[in-house]
Amino acid sequence: MEAVNQMSTVNFDNIPTTINEFFSAEEFAKMTEYEKQHLSSLRQNFEALKRAGLPIKPPEFMLRNKAKRERTNITALPLTDSSDGSDAEWTPDSERAKIAVQKKPFKPTFKVVYKKNATKKPPPPTTKTKVKAKKQKMEEMEEEDDPHVYPFRTKRVTTFMSLIIPEDDDFLYTAFDLFVDCEECNMEYITDCPEHGPLKNVYDSEVPPTCKKGENPDYCRKTLPQGLVIKKSKIPRAGLGVFATTLFPVRSRFGPYGGRKEMDRYVAHESGYCWQVVHDGKPSHFVDASDPKESNWMRFVNCARSEEEQCVTAYQHKGEIYYRAHKDIYPGMELLVYYGDSYARDLGIQTQKVGSLESTGGYPVNMQQDNDDNGPFKCHWCPFVYFHFIDRERHMKRSHNEEYTWCLQEKFACHILKLQEGKVSCTPKHTNPSDREAFVRGADDESLPSNFTCNQKRAINIKNEQKNNNTHVMSLDFNRFNKMGKKKNVISHFVSQDSLSRPSNYIQETEKDKYLMNLSSSHLVYYTDNAVANPNYCLQNHCTEKTLGNCKSDVCAEYDEKDNEFSVRKETCTGEDLNQYKVCGKECAQSIKLIQKRTHMGEKPYKCNLCGKEFNHSNDCLSGHKRIHTSQKPYKCDVCGKGFTQNINLSRHKRVHTGEKPFKCDVCGKDFNDRSALSSHKRIHTGEEPYKCDDCGKGFTQYNHLSTHKRVHTGEKPYKCDVCGEKPYKCDVCGKGFTQYNHLSKHKRIHTGEKPYKCDDCGKGFSVSNNLSSHKRIHTGEKPYKCDVCGKGFTKSNDLSRHKRVHTGEKPYKCDVCGKGFTQYNHLSKHKRIHTGEKPYKCDVCGKGFSDRSALSKHKRNHS
Ligand SMILES: C[S@@+](CC[C@H](N)C(=O)[O-])C[C@H]1O[C@@H](n2cnc3c(N)ncnc32)[C@H](O)[C@@H]1O
């Protein structure tokens, strides 16, 4: 308080901002403008605080011994840290060299990190800093009176969330944010990444004025941004947690962490909701979110138990704590951050690393990662996450059928070996013994011990059959198995040692192994000819190959409409049936007919569980489509490098480079490089508007037009500006905001009068090409848009939609202030200005503002 009073009497005029006195002429000349400005800001800040009487340390560069530097012609000490005694050299050049350099492939630490700020790049931890951090941690541990695990809210939580090694964070004043990490291209840039742009800020929701901060215990929940939900954590006994309901892509930034500033270390220890903030290398204060009335939603984010689980990383920036997504956060995933070793230890979290897919060569061998029955269950091959194990299995089976089947076979093979060696036992899933006996051929083999389970018996029988050179063998080689569904000749293949040998940790006996084992057993079908196969796979392939005309037998596989998949119908499936069942020859299960019928009837049984889009075939279309959600783009254009989710899209794209336009409109002769573009163009001629808005009935020729339109009703504004959260492109004439730059450019033509699109017939100019196209219909007389009630024709689809409301009396555009309805959106916009007092139309003579253009025109007449 004293310092503040003093500050008000300090004269801040003439605060020195020059920095050249601290550098040699040569050094100074090498510096960029950014560097100069930044250092000058630091000096300015320092001088101001010093004058105010605060005990402030000068920035590093001001401590440099200029005389010595010039004498020895050695460049300055590193800006990063002098306190560690490092004698590494700093030069503007070396600093610049850090900009836009390739970093090591990004690997999120199972730690919190520091934001690289304007002045410094974090130093690699030297022995001294490590010792310092360790010492500090030990001191903290000594202070803790009870270092045991505290179940949620039943015992005291004694520690706070902390960032590891203190790094300077000039949160008082920084002019620039140099060195921005881009995790997508593994580079550092002086400003935002030119390709991937700035971090995607996820702002807290605006809290209604009725819910007062400091008064309402619901305050923190009201700050929850869209796309997140607070509910019971998947971590046992962790209380509530925060889950995503929409995709938050990598680089999404949440925060800052809201809470009360707490200086008292003891209080912070007790809180359980505190982050420690560091300034100038030393602990500064805590942000305490224990009070829901004073904090934000981030207080509900729980501590990750493994590196795999951690999806946001905490870091400090300008004295505030933020969480940044270091991987895509998919709907259903819980936001989990690492609280720091000390806190994690108190929560009983072991911080050892859990094997990842990467480390196992991409095979789905990591059963530990989600061995917790509480889930969530992550797909082994893509970022989808499910709450239920069964859903994950279903997904993997559908979308990664090849890999999944391979795995089942591998697993099953391993089990057979282990069973043979007596190393494992299986617990069959089927509890009804008759089902089991019926399904498992050979289960009644008297020669086998009675305590053997059906799976064991079956496995041994298979093995015996192999030995006896019986024709019933298992196909365990995935590649061959894969082809089997497509080729008509069935391939016999014995279990090979080779296929059993990889990967080693795959044979772990876990609950999931057992489950998969049972799953595989319920999907194995025997052939009299020569193989064992998965009907699911075969039937699907038959279906996609459309070789279904000759399906005869209705034996043991059926299509489950609800689940969209095939399953073995155990109750009718006897050993005999199985022996008769020929999948890959001529005979198929009846259910294929069902699928085929659906396909021919235009039914689309495969539905994307994220967006609901439907497809005929699961394997190709749906899995390709799903890459839209996972952002996987494996098909790259060799000309421009652009990536695509599906090969077909790449082929289509390539025509942009070749100029090929193979699709011609038979009405007007216009060429298109893409069939769907031609189809939607044709609707101009037919007036067809297949995409109807459920709310107002308005029709659209294209689906994306409908999607955009729907936002009128939902109020959704998906394009958020990172700076102002809204419409970043403002018109400097009328102030109108736009979500996209090209919309602003188009809009500006209203003010400049620019009309680049000219009509060949009458020379009339238009500011946008669409208006020219519909104008041309005046000359051609074409009125493609017909009202189906009165038959009236319109040149523009908008005019028709608007006209239709004459018949329906509909007023779809409602004012959210007074509830008045309007037939047209622009009438509503105009009306809203009554409430907002906005007057965007200014008289260029007297400057008077008007809420609508006609009022301005009327007014202008007074001047003329
Ligand atoms: C910042 S709060 C997180 C929100 C908390 N779950 C709630 O419902 O308010 C921290 C507390 O959540 C619980 N918690 C967070 N992560 C946990 C974990 N991995 N295991 C057990 N408890 C956890 C602990 O009780 C911890 O003190």
Side-chain angles (χ1 to χ4, degrees):
M1 200 56 195
E2 205 181 296
V4 174
N5 290 338
Q6 214 175 325
M7 273 180 97
S8 56
T9 59
V10 172
N11 177 10
F12 286 104
D13 293 340
N14 304 323
I15 285 183
T17 55
T18 52
I19 52 157
N20 44 352
E21 66 206 76
F22 302 104
F23 298 92
S24 69
E26 194 192 339
E27 284 167 355
F28 194 72
K30 280 182 181 171
M31 286 168 111
T32 64
E33 276 315 302
Y34 273 120
E35 285 159 347
K36 287 178 193 165
Q37 278 200 49
H38 176 64
L39 295 178
S40 129
S41 300
L42 285 182
R43 179 172 191 189
Q44 189 180 25
N45 190 36
F46 163 73
E47 299 285 355
L49 294 171
K50 195 174 74 177
R51 283 192 196 182
L54 290 170
I56 179 109
K57 227 176 81 180
E60 241 15 276
F61 74 93
M62 290 176 67
L63 296 172
R64 300 165 41 155
N65 183 334
K66 192 174 173 234
K68 185 180 165 207
R69 200 180 55 243
E70 282 178 344
R71 199 171 53 246
T72 56
N73 202 19
I74 291 176
T75 47
L77 290 171
L79 282 180
T80 43
D81 193 353
S82 68
S83 60
D84 65 1
S86 158
D87 57 358
E89 288 186 1
W90 180 88
T91 63
D93 266 356
S94 66
E95 212 43 21
R96 253 197 307 274
K98 292 168 194 164
I99 302 161
V101 288
Q102 181 77 42
K103 298 196 301 174
K104 279 197 226 111
F106 174 72
K107 201 162 187 316
T109 50
F110 185 37
K111 301 265 184 204
V112 281
V113 293
Y114 283 86
K115 173 95 175 99
K116 292 167 180 61
N117 66 23
T119 48
K120 298 181 176 183
K121 192 160 157 44
T126 60
T127 316
K128 196 168 172 186
T129 51
K130 273 187 203 156
V131 169
K132 205 169 132 193
K134 202 166 175 183
K135 201 172 145 213
Q136 189 186 331
K137 220 166 265 171
M138 279 168 68
E139 278 166 10
E140 280 170 22
M141 281 166 68
E142 278 159 22
E143 280 174 34
E144 292 162 8
D145 50 359
D146 182 0
H148 294 107
V149 179
Y150 301 98
F152 180 73
R153 282 176 184 163
T154 54
K155 286 188 189 174
R156 278 184 313 143
V157 174
T158 60
T159 191
F160 48 82
M161 302 176 269
S162 57
L163 302 163
I164 333 147
I165 302 164
E167 187 200 340
D168 177 82
D169 181 80
D170 294 288
F171 56 84
L172 290 174
Y173 184 88
T174 40
F176 295 97
D177 250 345
L178 299 179
F179 309 122
V180 177
D181 271 350
C182 178
E183 284 150 8
E184 275 138 303
C185 53
N186 294 323
M187 303 278 271
E188 290 179 345
Y189 295 97
I190 194 157
T191 55
D192 295 320
C193 168
E195 190 181 345
H196 301 106
L199 290 169
K200 297 157 185 111
N201 285 309
V202 179
Y203 292 99
D204 282 12
S205 290
E206 217 169 281
V207 180
T210 46
C211 181
K212 291 222 162 46
K213 189 172 182 180
E215 288 177 16
N216 195 323
D218 251 6
Y219 181 85
C220 61
R221 286 171 176 270
K222 298 275 185 213
T223 63
L224 190 74
Q226 275 193 358
L228 293 173
V229 60
I230 296 169
K231 60 181 185 180
K232 189 172 179 295
S233 170
K234 60 168 191 172
I235 300 174
R237 294 181 303 281
L240 297 172
V242 181
F243 293 77
T245 56
T246 55
L247 172 83
F248 288 98
V250 61
R251 293 167 63 70
S252 295
R253 179 169 86 163
F254 305 92
Y257 188 81
R260 197 170 37 83
K261 187 172 176 179
E262 179 57 64
M263 300 306 290
D264 188 326
R265 193 180 176 82
Y266 181 75
V267 177
H269 267 281
E270 293 292 302
S271 154
Y273 291 82
C274 271
W275 274 109
Q276 186 174 44
V277 174
V278 171
H279 177 51
D280 211 9
K282 294 185 191 72
S284 157
H285 62 272
F286 301 89
V287 193
D288 183 359
S290 57
D291 185 349
K293 300 195 287 295
E294 286 195 275
S295 47
N296 70 352
W297 63 275
M298 290 172 80
R299 70 191 294 279
F300 292 106
V301 176
N302 283 318
C303 181
R305 293 165 297 176
S306 69
E307 188 179 334
E308 282 282 306
E309 249 186 7
Q310 186 190 5
C311 58
V312 290
T313 310
Y315 68 99
Q316 182 181 316
H317 173 57
K318 296 187 183 176
E320 311 245 45
I321 304 294
Y322 292 85
Y323 295 168
R324 178 167 64 174
H326 61 245
K327 56 185 175 193
D328 287 340
I329 304 174
Y330 287 88
M333 270 167 86
E334 180 170 358
L335 265 64
L336 292 171
V337 68
Y338 190 55
Y339 287 178
D341 290 346
S342 160
Y343 201 145
R345 207 180 41 247
D346 264 21
L347 291 173
I349 295 168
Q350 312 257 316
T351 55
Q352 88 279 5
K353 292 192 176 180
V354 179
S356 65
L357 286 183
E358 206 177 62
S359 63
T360 57
Y363 291 115
V365 296
N366 180 12
M367 288 301 170
Q368 276 171 320
Q369 70 181 9
D370 49 15
N371 201 20
D372 180 346
D373 279 343
N374 293 296
F377 300 99
K378 188 180 171 302
C379 170
H380 297 312
W381 297 280
C382 76
F384 280 82
V385 177
Y386 294 86
F387 283 120
H388 299 291
F389 179 58
I390 301 282
D391 293 334
R392 195 262 306 264
E393 293 306 310
R394 192 172 291 152
H395 155 79
M396 294 199 303
K397 222 180 328 166
R398 279 198 206 134
S399 304
H400 311 281
N401 194 281
E402 292 196 359
E403 297 89 331
Y404 185 78
T405 316
W406 184 86
C407 274
L408 289 185
Q409 301 300 316
E410 284 287 296
K411 270 181 174 301
F412 194 67
C414 295
H415 266 271
I416 291 171
L417 265 201
K418 286 165 80 189
L419 284 168
Q420 292 251 301
E421 291 160 15
K423 286 187 187 154
V424 296
S425 63
C426 293
T427 318
K429 198 172 177 71
H430 328 302
T431 45
N432 179 347
S434 58
D435 272 5
R436 223 159 58 201
E437 302 305 291
F439 178 64
V440 180
R441 191 163 56 93
D444 57 352
D445 190 335
E446 306 260 297
S447 65
L448 295 172
S450 57
N451 60 348
F452 265 41
T453 63
C454 63
N455 277 338
Q456 284 173 306
K457 287 183 177 182
R458 185 169 59 125
I460 288 166
N461 272 312
I462 291 171
K463 208 69 187 168
N464 287 340
E465 281 163 3
Q466 288 178 17
K467 276 194 207 140
N468 300 340
N469 205 13
N470 192 304
T471 50
H472 302 282
V473 292
M474 251 189 107
S475 175
L476 291 164
D477 177 315
F478 175 69
N479 290 324
R480 294 182 185 203
F481 179 75
N482 183 13
K483 283 177 195 143
M484 190 176 69
K486 294 189 176 172
K487 287 187 179 171
K488 291 203 173 158
N489 53 328
V490 177
I491 294 158
S492 301
H493 185 67
F494 286 88
V495 182
S496 74
Q497 197 56 43
D498 176 51
S499 66
L500 300 179
S501 61
R502 55 179 169 145
S504 58
N505 47 349
Y506 194 44
I507 58 172
Q508 280 163 358
E509 172 73 1
T510 65
E511 279 309 306
K512 292 225 174 66
D513 274 330
K514 288 177 194 166
Y515 177 83
L516 284 173
M517 174 74 183
N518 289 309
L519 197 72
S520 70
S521 66
S522 68
H523 279 258
L524 287 168
V525 175
Y526 293 73
Y527 300 90
T528 42
D529 283 337
N530 29 19
V532 181
N534 176 341
N536 197 10
Y537 191 81
C538 278
L539 298 185
Q540 282 181 10
N541 270 300
H542 273 277
C543 177
T544 52
E545 300 268 302
K546 295 198 174 68
T547 56
L548 303 170
N550 43 15
C551 300
K552 282 186 215 151
S553 169
D554 176 10
V555 189
C556 62
E558 68 181 358
Y559 181 74
D560 183 334
E561 282 195 51
K562 200 169 108 268
D563 292 342
N564 270 346
E565 64 187 31
F566 294 97
S567 60
V568 174
R569 201 189 311 143
K570 298 183 201 80
E571 67 276 13
T572 57
C573 184
T574 66
E576 270 172 52
D577 288 336
L578 288 166
N579 285 337
Q580 290 156 10
Y581 182 40
K582 293 180 184 176
V583 173
C584 298
K586 296 270 184 276
E587 298 176 8
C588 297
Q590 187 72 40
S591 50
I592 299 172
K593 286 183 183 164
L594 171 65
I595 270 279
Q596 189 192 29
K597 203 169 124 207
R598 280 165 169 271
T599 308
H600 292 301
M601 286 169 69
E603 280 184 58
K604 295 177 174 177
Y606 300 102
K607 198 168 181 168
C608 171
N609 49 7
L610 283 180
C611 67
K613 197 167 175 189
E614 291 170 341
F615 297 88
N616 285 332
H617 308 307
S618 70
N619 275 349
D620 38 16
C621 308
L622 180 56
S623 27
H625 159 81
K626 279 187 171 175
R627 291 194 203 109
I628 292 171
H629 301 299
T630 62
S631 307
Q632 281 175 278
K633 291 181 176 176
Y635 303 100
K636 301 273 180 239
C637 171
D638 44 20
V639 180
C640 66
K642 196 169 171 189
F644 295 87
T645 53
Q646 296 183 48
N647 199 10
I648 188 168
N649 296 345
L650 170 61
S651 313
R652 195 182 297 152
H653 159 84
K654 280 184 171 170
R655 295 191 201 118
V656 171
H657 301 298
T658 59
E660 197 193 346
K661 289 186 173 179
F663 304 100
K664 205 177 205 61
C665 172
D666 45 21
V667 181
C668 66
K670 197 170 172 185
D671 294 325
F672 295 86
N673 59 12
D674 167 22
R675 191 191 304 276
S676 63
L678 171 62
S679 308
S680 58
H681 160 83
K682 279 185 169 174
R683 293 189 203 117
I684 291 176
H685 303 301
T686 61
E688 191 199 353
E689 288 180 337
Y691 305 105
K692 300 277 180 233
C693 173
D694 295 337
D695 291 309
C696 65
K698 191 171 174 182
F700 296 88
T701 52
Q702 286 177 44
Y703 182 74
N704 57 347
H705 293 173
L706 169 62
S707 304
T708 315
H709 159 84
K710 277 184 168 175
R711 294 187 203 128
V712 169
H713 303 297
T714 61
E716 192 198 347
K717 291 175 180 174
Y719 303 105
K720 292 260 188 280
C721 166
D722 283 342
V723 182
C724 67
E726 275 291 329
K727 293 177 174 173
Y729 302 104
K730 299 277 182 230
C731 172
D732 44 21
V733 181
C734 67
K736 192 171 173 186
F738 295 87
T739 52
Q740 289 175 37
Y741 182 74
N742 63 343
H743 294 173
L744 170 63
S745 306
K746 264 183 212 168
H747 161 85
K748 276 185 168 175
R749 293 186 197 135
I750 293 174
H751 302 297
T752 60
E754 193 195 348
K755 291 181 175 176
Y757 304 98
K758 301 275 179 239
C759 173
D760 297 336
D761 290 311
C762 66
K764 193 170 174 187
F766 295 87
S767 56
V768 287
S769 62
N770 276 358
N771 293 353
L772 171 61
S773 309
S774 42
H775 160 85
K776 278 183 169 173
R777 295 192 197 116
I778 293 174
H779 301 298
T780 60
E782 195 196 353
K783 289 188 174 175
Y785 305 102
K786 302 269 181 249
C787 172
D788 45 19
V789 180
C790 64
K792 195 171 171 184
F794 295 87
T795 51
K796 294 183 202 164
S797 67
N798 277 356
D799 294 344
L800 171 60
S801 306
R802 209 174 294 144
H803 159 84
K804 279 181 173 174
R805 293 190 202 120
V806 171
H807 302 298
T808 60
E810 203 192 342
K811 291 183 174 177
Y813 304 104
K814 302 270 181 248
C815 171
D816 45 19
V817 180
C818 65
K820 194 170 172 186
F822 295 88
T823 52
Q824 290 178 40
Y825 181 71
N826 57 347
H827 292 174
L828 170 62
S829 306
K830 208 184 285 176
H831 161 84
K832 276 185 170 174
R833 295 189 198 124
I834 294 173
H835 302 299
T836 60
E838 198 194 343
K839 290 181 175 176
Y841 302 98
K842 301 269 181 252
C843 171
D844 44 19
V845 181
C846 67
K848 195 171 172 190
F850 295 88
S851 60
D852 75 278
R853 196 182 288 128
S854 61
L856 171 63
S857 309
K858 209 184 285 172
H859 161 83
K860 275 185 170 175
R861 283 185 221 127
N862 297 335
H863 295 298
S864 57

